[in-house]
Amino acid sequence: RGQLAEQRRPLQWIVERLPDARRWLRAVSQTVAGHEWLGERAASLEQLEQMLTYLEQSPRLTRHGLVPLLREGSDRESEYRQGLRQVAACRWTLNEAEDSTRHWREKLSASDTAAALEQARRFESAWWAPLHPAWWSLRGVLAKSYNFAAHRIRPRWSQVLEELQAEHLAARAVRDAETAVCQSLGYGGSLEELEDEVRALRERVEVLPPAARALHQRLLDADESQATVEVLLRLVEPARRLRGGLDELLADYGELTWAELEAYLDELEPALEQLPDYFYLLNQFGPLPDALLAALRSLPLRAEQWEAAVTDQCVRQALAREPGLRQFNAGLRARQARQLGQSFERWQRHNAVAVEQAVCGRFVEQVRQADNTSSRASAAERQRRKRYTQGRRELEHEFGKSMRYKSIRDLVAGDSGLVIRDLKPVWLMSPLSVSDALPLDTELFDVVIFDEASQITLEEAIPSLFRARQTIVVGDEMQLPPTDFFSSRQSDDEDPLELDEQGEVLQYDLSCNSFLNHSARNLPSCVLGWHYRSRSESLISFSNWAFYQGRLLTVPEEQLLQSGSDEIVVESAADAERHGRSLLARPVSFHLLPHAVYDQRRNRAEAEYIAGLVRQLLQDPRRLTLGVVAFSEAQQQEIEAALERLARDDGAFRERLEAEFEREEDGQFVGLLVKNLENIQGDERDVILLSVCYGHGPDGRMRMNFGPINKSGGEKRLNVAFSRARHHMAVISSIRDHHITNEFNDGARCLRDYLRYAAALSRGDRDA
């Protein structure tokens, strides 16, 4: 049973229950074997339980030998039918009597009816009756209980009472007839219960399992039924205890014969030593369907064959159950993809557990070998065991300290390093931490993997290369290169660098070569083309063709671009409430603020409109994650200030905003982001609001000063910003694409093209 893995001490748990299971198995099998008919037809626990279930469903019929009532022509059946005919005749008389008493509002009991009839007959011939109090009492009772007005000629009191008394006598005759039928058959219940039980058993006969049907045929013979029933009744409790004990231990045993089951239990105990190796698999058996479990235990298939068979069967069942699958559509694909994603996440979790258990198993095996004092081992093996044991002692000594720990470098370099690498085979470190913490030994690791290699300088990467025999470099050359915090620069807006509040410089040398650049030119490479982030192809299509030559593998749109959509023109920040719905209806939307002014490196109109959009989006019940990207640090601060001003004026928005700034899902922060181009790399959100900021100044002039975008490699900044959205990208701009005229500059031309692309998508212009 898969539930065995949930026990605290499963092996001991099994050993404690095996004797009881064997004892009840012997008791049941010997009793069955002692009855010739049962020994042939109840050869397994499943067949025996079919018979016991049959007895439980019709207990009075089977235990009183009344099953022959269902066999036409038997003495019991004839007696039963004769009794039913007598009851039917009495019921007909009762129905006639009830028809005569239909005008009674409230019928008197039989005893009250007899007393009232006696008084009525006495008062009808007495002239003094109205002088007697009893006459008036009887008159009041009858006036209340009987509707005399229903008759055109008023009946006498004695007449209506005689009719009621006749009904009581007829009802008593029915009860007596029903009782007589049950008593003659030896049935302890009412006739109605007997009829229901006979009817139910007659209907159930057609669907009885084979063993129960055989028992039914035997019980139709009154001479053979009683002895068989008595034996089965003695088996009810032992069979229940046997089933309970076996259910705790085994699965798929019901069809085994008694001899096979006894042999199975005898073989179980010697095999228990191997059981711990399969606890993880047993734990996964619990939620699986019974049919699949039985197949897993019985069919000799490899994992690949199982996958192929299950997949083929699922497809066949799906096509048979839903013929519409043959007409594949986006809605169906999305539903199946969502279920597949959930299954994939579960598979990853289970796979992680299996990997951890494998690592744990290797460590335990190493410890066992180190503790082995066998003299037959080679000298090298004895030396390795000695080092491993010494390393364990060193680690245990370190774990017991409260101060003056050894450095990680010393622990990894010594004998304890053998144990540490068994305990922790995967290390996650920055390049500088590798140089600081690990000894210079190429045997430390099998492989070193550099992630986000575009952010690593060549000099930082080289020391890590000497800690392993193989290197894998992962990164995107079209992302931002390494950051330099120590360059001096001017604070003019035309310079691509900006001083932060502490006077430090956040500088990207866009012309430098990162470790990724050197690796791409000197090592064999392959493109990781699958684009996982964007749920709509139009969100990534621009970057795909502008930066990656169309090599990214993307999922096609679920819906084709709808032409003729309204252009989104913003007159004031109040329009955010109306345009928020338009934003969520389009994967890419272009919001034009024709009256906004770019002044002192800031665009206040765009900031206030973005704050309004954030307020509107936070009210959406889908709770999409939000990110705001500004082209400069100054505009980022302006947007943050606009959010603060709006929050002060709107208490409900303030509460939602504060909650959004702290929002986490599965332990990961997914709340509102407000960042600039320099620090948005690596982040993603469902909805991205991109503030272009640049526009016409207070004097109406449009300067071609786009800061770092104008410099060499500035288009990489734009690629980072353009590829952050999962579901919706909203471009908030004070200019159109034709306002940018310095097309000779790569960064400015890229911005111009993207503004044109976003505007065309927003209004559904396919040709553009």
Side-chain angles (χ1 to χ4, degrees):
R1 300 290 295 183
Q3 290 76 4
L4 289 177
E6 301 174 2
Q7 300 298 326
R8 186 175 181 182
R9 296 177 179 175
L11 293 181
Q12 179 180 346
W13 194 84
I14 296 173
V15 170
E16 290 174 352
R17 282 157 177 77
L18 268 178
D20 283 343
R22 287 198 183 97
R23 178 164 61 87
W24 289 112
L25 175 59
R26 284 194 298 270
V28 173
S29 61
Q30 290 174 3
T31 303
V32 171
H35 190 282
E36 182 179 356
W37 186 87
L38 284 178
E40 296 177 358
R41 291 166 178 79
S44 67
L45 180 59
E46 182 173 337
Q47 292 176 340
L48 176 61
E49 288 183 327
Q50 290 178 8
M51 296 182 181
L52 296 180
T53 301
Y54 171 85
L55 295 183
E56 293 172 357
Q57 291 175 340
S58 303
R60 292 177 177 174
L61 293 183
T62 55
R63 298 185 187 187
H64 294 87
L66 298 180
V67 177
L69 293 179
L70 278 72
R71 192 180 71 179
E72 294 186 7
S74 66
D75 294 340
R76 282 296 182 92
E77 195 263 349
S78 300
E79 183 181 357
Y80 176 56
R81 289 191 177 277
Q82 178 63 28
L84 291 182
R85 284 194 289 270
Q86 294 176 359
V87 171
C90 293
R91 287 175 177 168
W92 184 86
T93 303
L94 175 60
N95 291 335
E96 291 292 318
E98 288 176 342
D99 184 64
S100 300
T101 60
R102 65 183 180 278
H103 298 308
W104 279 88
R105 298 190 186 97
E106 183 178 350
K107 294 181 179 180
L108 304 179
S109 65
S111 59
D112 288 345
T113 301
L117 179 58
E118 181 182 355
Q119 291 182 12
R121 287 171 176 170
R122 181 157 44 91
F123 288 142
E124 282 178 353
S125 60
W127 61 268
W128 46 264
L131 302 177
H132 199 287
W135 185 89
W136 290 98
S137 176
L138 179 60
R139 182 176 183 270
V141 169
L142 293 179
K144 177 182 178 182
S145 302
Y146 191 86
N147 182 18
F148 287 96
H151 298 272
R152 298 182 64 181
I153 299 175
R154 183 182 179 90
R156 292 177 290 106
W157 290 355
S158 59
Q159 180 182 347
V160 297
L161 288 170
E162 287 169 353
E163 292 173 347
L164 181 58
Q165 187 177 52
E167 179 186 336
H168 287 308
L169 293 175
R172 181 175 179 178
V174 170
R175 291 194 297 271
D176 291 343
E178 291 177 348
T179 302
V181 173
C182 294
Q183 288 178 348
S184 66
L185 296 174
Y187 186 78
S190 66
L191 180 61
E192 182 179 3
E193 293 172 338
L194 175 59
E195 289 180 303
D196 290 342
E197 225 175 317
V198 169
R199 186 184 308 109
L201 181 56
R202 183 175 285 115
E203 294 173 352
R204 201 165 55 246
V205 165
E206 300 300 325
V207 294
L208 286 176
R213 184 185 291 271
L215 177 61
H216 175 75
Q217 292 298 326
R218 182 173 181 80
L219 297 188
L220 288 175
D221 186 350
D223 297 333
E224 300 290 344
S225 63
Q226 198 58 35
T228 304
V229 169
E230 289 177 358
V231 175
L232 288 172
L233 291 177
R234 292 202 305 270
L235 286 170
V236 170
E237 182 62 17
R240 184 185 65 80
R241 289 183 175 270
L242 175 60
R243 170 64 76 176
L246 294 179
D247 276 348
E248 292 180 330
L249 297 172
L250 308 177
D252 303 332
Y253 63 86
E255 295 182 357
L256 297 178
T257 65
W258 302 114
E260 291 172 341
L261 189 54
E262 190 167 355
Y264 193 93
L265 292 180
D266 291 339
E267 296 171 359
L268 181 61
E269 191 166 4
L272 291 180
E273 294 180 359
Q274 304 173 31
L275 187 58
D277 297 336
Y278 299 92
F279 277 157
Y280 175 71
L281 291 176
L282 284 177
N283 200 30
Q284 306 311 307
F285 276 8
L288 295 181
D290 292 340
L292 179 56
L293 280 176
L296 283 171
R297 290 188 172 95
S298 60
L299 298 181
L301 299 179
R302 300 191 308 275
E304 297 83 358
Q305 293 173 310
W306 269 110
E307 280 193 89
V310 170
T311 302
D312 180 69
Q313 182 65 10
C314 288
V315 171
R316 291 175 182 272
Q317 289 179 351
L319 291 175
R321 185 172 57 251
E322 298 184 43
L325 282 177
R326 300 182 186 277
Q327 304 297 324
F328 199 70
N329 58 66
L332 184 59
R333 178 195 60 78
R335 184 169 71 252
Q336 300 293 348
R338 182 167 59 253
Q339 295 173 357
L340 181 62
Q342 295 170 353
S343 300
F344 181 73
E345 291 176 0
R346 291 196 299 272
W347 175 82
Q348 284 186 312
R349 291 196 297 270
H350 297 324
N351 191 57
V353 173
V355 170
E356 288 181 353
Q357 290 189 348
V359 172
C360 181
R362 286 198 297 269
F363 172 73
V364 172
E365 179 62 20
Q366 291 280 26
V367 172
R368 189 188 65 79
Q369 292 181 6
D371 292 340
N372 188 358
T373 58
S374 174
S375 59
R376 289 181 292 180
S378 64
E381 178 61 18
R382 289 197 298 271
Q383 179 63 22
R384 191 196 67 80
R385 293 176 182 177
K386 180 179 179 181
R387 289 187 58 199
Y388 205 93
T389 302
Q390 181 61 31
R392 276 183 59 199
R393 291 172 181 167
E394 291 179 10
L395 276 182
E396 290 168 355
H397 178 65
E398 286 297 310
F399 295 159
K401 288 182 178 181
S402 59
M403 60 176 61
R404 297 176 182 171
Y405 301 104
K406 283 186 178 181
S407 67
I408 298 178
R409 180 185 292 272
D410 291 338
L411 289 175
V412 175
D415 292 340
S416 56
L418 296 174
V419 185
I420 289 176
R421 289 196 293 276
D422 278 345
L423 286 172
K424 295 291 182 182
V426 179
W427 292 50
L428 182 65
M429 309 174 73
S430 68
L432 293 177
S433 298
V434 171
S435 301
D436 182 59
L438 297 180
L440 193 62
D441 183 359
T442 57
E443 299 299 317
L444 276 179
F445 297 98
D446 296 311
V447 60
V448 57
I449 302 174
F450 292 89
D451 190 25
E452 290 286 353
S454 66
Q455 291 284 295
I456 303 174
T457 63
L458 183 62
E459 59 270 26
E460 288 177 343
I462 287 177
S464 300
L465 298 176
F466 289 91
R467 267 74 177 184
R469 290 167 289 180
Q470 183 184 10
T471 298
I472 298 175
V473 184
V474 183
D476 184 356
E477 289 190 86
M478 296 311 299
Q479 301 285 308
L480 293 177
T483 306
D484 182 5
F485 289 90
F486 305 103
S487 300
S488 61
R489 61 171 205 88
Q490 302 173 354
S491 60
D492 191 295
D493 183 56
E494 296 184 3
D495 194 280
L497 311 175
E498 295 179 353
L499 287 171
D500 63 16
E501 295 177 356
Q502 287 74 33
E504 293 180 337
V505 176
L506 182 64
Q507 176 180 355
Y508 293 98
D509 184 357
L510 297 176
S511 62
C512 81
N513 286 328
S514 65
F515 175 56
L516 177 65
N517 298 131
H518 290 282
S519 301
R521 287 156 180 75
N522 294 282
L523 297 178
S525 63
C526 64
V527 176
L528 304 179
W530 174 248
H531 177 74
Y532 69 93
R533 178 180 296 129
S534 301
R535 302 301 192 269
S536 176
E537 193 174 35
S538 56
L539 291 171
I540 195 60
S541 289
F542 182 89
S543 292
N544 189 14
W545 292 98
F547 301 106
Y548 303 105
Q549 295 77 50
R551 292 179 298 168
L552 296 184
L553 304 177
T554 59
V555 177
E557 297 279 9
E558 294 185 359
Q559 293 182 344
L560 296 177
L561 184 65
Q562 298 298 317
S563 60
S565 300
D566 294 333
E567 192 175 41
I568 301 176
V569 179
V570 181
E571 299 297 335
S572 68
D575 292 344
E577 180 177 357
R578 176 164 51 94
H579 295 322
R581 292 187 292 271
S582 300
L583 184 156
L584 295 176
R586 314 174 192 188
V588 178
S589 57
F590 183 81
H591 303 246
L592 179 65
L593 285 74
H595 306 301
V597 176
Y598 174 65
D599 187 25
Q600 298 296 318
R601 300 164 52 215
R602 300 168 185 262
N603 192 320
R604 182 160 184 168
E606 284 189 17
E608 291 179 345
Y609 177 68
I610 287 174
L613 286 178
V614 170
R615 177 172 62 179
Q616 182 67 19
L617 292 171
L618 289 183
Q619 298 174 6
D620 189 89
R622 289 173 289 179
R623 299 199 67 207
L624 300 172
T625 57
L626 308 179
V628 181
V629 181
F631 275 22
S632 66
E633 185 177 2
Q635 182 64 4
Q636 174 189 344
Q637 295 171 353
E638 186 67 28
I639 294 170
E640 291 171 342
L643 288 170
E644 292 175 2
R645 289 194 298 272
L646 188 58
R648 285 197 300 268
D649 298 334
D650 187 340
F653 171 62
R654 179 173 63 252
E655 294 178 1
R656 285 193 294 269
L657 184 64
E658 290 174 355
E660 189 67 12
F661 276 132
E662 300 176 358
R663 179 179 172 186
E664 290 187 359
E665 292 179 2
D666 298 329
Q668 182 178 2
F669 173 73
V670 295
L672 176 63
L673 292 177
V674 182
K675 293 188 175 183
N676 55 54
L677 291 181
E678 282 77 14
N679 52 29
I680 193 61
Q681 182 166 317
D683 292 315
E684 63 182 50
R685 289 295 184 266
D686 294 332
V687 180
I688 292 293
L689 308 177
L690 181 64
S691 176
V692 175
C693 182
Y694 303 114
H696 297 86
D699 57 357
R701 297 177 56 192
M702 174 68 189
R703 299 175 61 194
M704 296 297 109
N705 176 18
F706 304 119
I709 296 175
N710 280 346
K711 299 300 181 181
S712 176
E715 67 278 4
K716 294 183 179 181
R717 292 171 178 254
L718 296 174
N719 181 42
V720 171
F722 297 163
S723 57
R724 299 301 99 192
R726 286 194 289 256
H727 293 281
H728 303 280
M729 165 68 83
V731 181
I732 291 86
S733 177
S734 305
I735 56 175
R736 296 183 185 271
D737 61 285
H738 62 79
H739 291 127
I740 301 177
T741 57
N742 57 338
E743 295 186 23
F744 58 88
N745 180 278
D746 290 341
R749 184 175 64 254
C750 181
L751 177 59
R752 172 191 172 107
D753 291 344
Y754 188 74
L755 293 181
R756 182 184 177 191
Y757 173 82
L761 270 179
S762 183
R763 64 177 183 269
D765 187 346
R766 292 190 183 90
D767 293 337

